[in-house]
Amino acid sequence: MTSDDQLRAALHAALPEGVLESSPYARAMYRRDASILKAEPLAVALPHDLQELRQVVSVCRSLQISMVPRGAGTGIAAGAVPGGAPRPPLVVGLQRIDYLTVDPEQRTARVGPGVVNLELDRQANRHGLRFAPDPSSQISCTIGGNIATNAGGAHCLAYGVTSQHVLSVDLLDAEGELHRFGVGSPENNGYDLRGLTVGSEGTFGFVVEAVLQLLPLPPAVETMVISFPTIGAAAEAVTAVLNARCLPAAMELMDRGAVALTEAYAQAGWDTDAAAVLLLEFEGLPHQVTDEVAVALAAARRYGGHNERLASDPTRRAELWKGRKAVAGAIAKVVPDYYLHDVVVPRSQLARSLEQVLAIAAEQRLRVINVFHAGDGNLHPLLLIDRTEPDIEGRLLAAGRAIIELAIAAGGSLTGEHGVGLEKRDFLCEVMEPEELELQWRVREAMDPTGRANPGKVLPTPHSCADLTPSLVPAGAWL
Ligand SMILES: Cc1cc2nc3c(=O)[nH]c(=O)nc-3n(C[C@H](O)[C@H](O)[C@H](O)COP(=O)(O)OP(=O)(O)OC[C@H]3O[C@@H](n4cnc5c(N)ncnc54)[C@H](O)[C@@H]3O)c2cc1C
């Protein structure tokens, strides 16, 4: 078998100067994403355009090297971590392919995969338009990554997740074939391969271009931050507001621990005495917004909502949002690392599930804060960690497993928006029947017959489920 060094030398010889990075430093830099897992890649390719990417794919095909597509590496499910495959794959970063054109008349944008989500939104804003899906990582995550994970975000409650905003997607598969799925393509007839590709987590190949739908900016926007006496009351208020004939554009919940951290860091004026705080945003025509704010406020007050602060001008709204958007920075100030979980529970179970999360963290002696898109039933416990603490990894994994199990028991699902990746792959054995997994494998094999696109991700091998104890650290990766 060809050694890794020989493969690296062959890649260097075949690819244009400046595309391949194979030093131990580069390999170390691309071992991980924003999850807790790591694995060493063979090397890293950073093509500047589609032509160079095609060269990378072609040489990998002839050398039978697997590839891991990568955007900004903000993924939390270890989807861009090069682990879980029999041999180290090549990480292919697409950040450099970042062209962007907005067509204001059609209300669309044509983008390369490396365009950063917030940059797209800013360019759209110049034409009175917006890109609605806004993951909390939008300052750095890429559209390619958003499409591959079918990302959600604060405003996806009202506008839908990424898939609802992708009109067409160009996919370069691991064999080097280029496909266009969706509007404007013959392949739009028949099965919805656009929909299938969105959320495929790099296992079908590379998203190399997309045409995205843009929405008009709303004429009126009002943001409200409101305090609650218990986290359960805040969770009940979420359901009450949604049942009160009103659909906020965003509904974000932060618990006391999260508010304390961000206030110390960003001083956004959120209530540090509250057990939980909800941020709600309303958009539409002015009279509709006024009406919805009144309805939501009345519903929230029935569950102890108090001390509300409202803002409609952009500067004051941005000040309120600062309390939510500063969470990642605030965490970095106090702990070296965190483990961000992502599960979904039915909204009716939210209050109970939050209490369970707090109990799990207490049992494992872990510090936890909760920050999440509450309207979607997402649960995002953030376990704050310092890896030098004794036995931290064992306690972390035990808590992670218990959180997944509570979501399954509550009738929820393994992932709300971050995807399955490598991290949750083996847990699919617990929630899917063998026949269902086999069907998923048949779909994957149709899209990637040689299995060289992001191998080891999303699906556990069908025969392995029988004797597998699901693990958050699958073979081939480490913490
Ligand atoms: C602080 C923080 C907040 C976050 N908030 C949210 C949130 O609100 N909502 C949400 O949904 N997620 C959130 N995330 C998770 C993450 O930002 C999203 O999953 C995002 O879509 C990943 O984009 P990326 O460019 O970083 O992709 P990466 O992490 O590089 O990759 C993610 C997956 O997509 C694949 N991929 C990347 N680019 C391509 C491509 N061009 N073609 C094919 N496959 C590709 C990779 O192989 C991998 O499987 C958050 C993460 C952080 C750190």
Side-chain angles (χ1 to χ4, degrees):
M1 190 190 279
T2 322
S3 74
D4 288 352
D5 280 336
Q6 285 169 323
L7 287 176
R8 282 190 276 268
L11 283 167
H12 269 295
L15 292 173
E17 178 108 11
V19 171
L20 196 76
E21 299 282 347
S22 66
S23 66
Y25 176 77
R27 296 196 324 255
M29 289 298 289
Y30 284 84
R31 282 193 307 196
R32 57 173 298 193
D33 55 10
S35 72
I36 53 169
L37 298 181
K38 297 186 197 113
E40 188 93 4
L42 176 68
V44 185
L46 299 168
H48 295 85
D49 52 29
L50 180 59
Q51 196 192 338
E52 285 186 354
L53 176 62
R54 292 188 98 148
Q55 283 176 274
V56 171
V57 170
S58 161
V59 64
C60 284
R61 183 173 184 230
S62 56
L63 296 169
Q64 299 193 358
I65 296 172
S66 300
M67 294 161 289
V68 177
R70 181 178 170 112
T74 67
I76 314 239
V81 172
R87 296 205 64 183
L90 178 74
V91 167
V92 184
L94 300 171
Q95 316 84 302
R96 287 172 168 173
I97 311 180
D98 62 351
Y99 58 87
L100 156 62
T101 45
V102 173
D103 182 340
E105 239 171 72
Q106 295 292 330
R107 291 188 185 161
T108 59
R110 182 176 295 277
V111 299
V115 167
V116 169
N117 177 296
L118 188 62
E119 182 56 21
L120 167 61
D121 195 44
R122 282 192 180 135
Q123 294 300 328
N125 289 173
R126 294 168 61 178
H127 303 277
L129 300 169
R130 76 199 293 194
F131 183 59
D134 55 347
S136 305
S137 54
Q138 69 174 160
I139 193 167
S140 46
C141 65
T142 66
I143 295 299
N146 295 167
I147 292 174
T149 56
N150 194 13
H155 289 84
C156 292
L157 174 63
Y159 299 104
V161 293
T162 301
S163 185
Q164 270 92 59
H165 304 269
V166 177
L167 297 174
S168 74
V169 59
D170 289 6
L171 180 82
L172 181 68
D173 69 26
E175 303 310 301
E177 293 291 325
L178 189 61
H179 309 269
R180 173 160 297 170
F181 301 139
V183 175
S185 142
E187 292 182 75
N188 195 29
N189 302 295
Y191 295 117
D192 178 11
L193 299 181
R194 180 211 60 87
L196 192 60
T197 301
V198 179
S200 57
E201 300 191 40
T203 60
F204 292 179
F206 299 92
V207 169
V208 294
E209 183 173 291
V211 176
L212 305 169
Q213 174 185 261
L214 304 174
L215 300 178
L217 286 168
V221 184
E222 184 126 11
T223 307
M224 169 162 62
V225 168
I226 180 163
S227 308
F228 289 87
T230 66
I231 193 163
E236 303 274 14
V238 169
T239 306
V241 169
L242 290 170
N243 287 344
R245 71 171 178 84
C246 103
L247 179 61
M251 257 184 142
E252 301 285 296
L253 194 153
M254 283 174 55
D255 70 6
R256 189 197 302 274
V259 172
L261 269 189
T262 44
E263 275 308 304
Y265 175 70
Q267 296 92 39
W270 286 36
D271 181 357
T272 47
D273 292 329
V277 176
L278 269 184
L279 179 148
L280 300 111
E281 190 151 89
F282 303 87
E283 299 180 346
L285 296 169
H287 71 273
Q288 176 196 346
V289 168
T290 309
D291 189 29
E292 285 205 321
V293 168
V295 170
L297 193 51
R301 283 190 177 143
R302 283 203 300 280
Y303 290 89
H306 62 282
N307 199 12
E308 63 275 1
R309 295 170 64 208
L310 288 146
S312 52
D313 80 87
T315 312
R316 288 201 48 233
R317 286 199 304 105
E319 277 165 25
L320 291 183
W321 269 102
K322 198 162 80 170
R324 168 66 181 89
K325 295 201 172 183
V327 175
I331 293 171
K333 208 69 181 147
V334 292
V335 283
D337 213 346
Y338 64 82
Y339 177 20
L340 171 52
H341 237 294
D342 162 52
V343 291
V344 179
V345 295
R347 257 198 311 264
S348 58
Q349 306 269 340
L350 201 52
R352 187 162 164 266
S353 303
L354 279 164
E355 299 295 348
Q356 287 174 302
V357 166
L358 297 181
I360 289 168
E363 192 182 332
Q364 298 300 335
R365 291 174 285 115
L366 290 167
R367 189 171 169 196
V368 67
I369 59 171
N370 287 284
V371 185
F372 53 98
H373 315 310
D376 302 331
N378 279 10
L379 266 190
H380 282 180
L382 272 144
L383 301 165
L384 309 184
I385 53 171
D386 177 347
R387 287 174 197 248
T388 60
E389 277 177 49
D391 187 31
I392 184 69
E393 290 176 357
R395 289 185 280 129
L396 193 63
L397 294 177
R401 165 181 270 281
I403 290 168
I404 291 176
E405 281 166 358
L406 93 77
I408 296 172
S413 64
L414 285 179
T415 167
E417 53 182 17
H418 296 167
V420 175
L422 184 57
E423 185 210 23
K424 295 200 175 137
R425 181 193 70 186
D426 293 350
F427 284 88
L428 255 53
C429 295
E430 297 213 335
V431 291
M432 292 175 81
E433 296 298 328
E435 301 74 32
E436 292 163 344
L437 264 178
E438 204 184 307
L439 178 60
Q440 298 252 349
W441 267 107
R442 290 212 297 271
V443 172
R444 176 161 177 171
E445 281 161 5
M447 300 302 285
D448 178 36
T450 56
R452 288 187 302 101
N454 216 357
K457 305 294 163 54
V458 185
L459 298 181
T461 51
H463 54 273
S464 67
C465 277
D467 45 26
L468 191 79
T469 308
S471 163
L472 286 166
V473 189
W478 68 91
L479 283 178

